[in-house]
């Protein structure tokens, strides 16, 4: 019996590599966004605390 055409594993491997790279990039962007947000919150809290101490 004929098995049919061979599968294109090279293309599939490249596609998987590309998708993994995309996932890693998105995850890295998510981490950077979280760090920026955390820094902003810290900065705002410090500013708020300094305003409170000035008014007291």
């Amino acid at each position: 019996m004929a098995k049919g055409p061979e599968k294109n594993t090279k293309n599939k491997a490249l596609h998987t590599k590309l998708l993994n790279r995309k996932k890693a990039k998105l995850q890295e962007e998510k981490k950077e966004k979280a760090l920026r947000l955390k820094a902003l919150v810290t900065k705002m809290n410090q500013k708020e605390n300094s305003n409170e101490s000035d008014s007291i």
Side-chain angles (χ1 to χ4, degrees):
M1 266 178 112
K3 290 186 177 181
E6 290 185 22
K7 291 184 178 181
N8 188 356
T9 55
K10 182 180 177 189
N11 198 25
K12 189 173 182 180
L14 289 174
H15 184 69
T16 303
K17 184 178 176 182
L18 192 96
L19 286 180
N20 287 341
R21 200 182 309 166
K22 184 179 177 182
K23 281 184 200 173
K25 183 180 177 186
L26 289 173
Q27 203 170 35
E28 188 65 32
E29 287 175 355
K30 191 175 179 183
K31 280 183 186 178
E32 287 176 6
K33 186 177 180 182
L35 285 174
R36 279 197 309 269
L37 190 62
K38 196 172 188 180
L40 185 64
V41 167
T42 306
K43 185 178 177 183
M44 292 304 292
N45 285 340
Q46 286 176 349
K47 190 175 182 181
E48 195 174 288
N49 288 342
S50 68
N51 287 344
E52 286 178 7
S53 63
D54 290 342
S55 63
I56 294 176

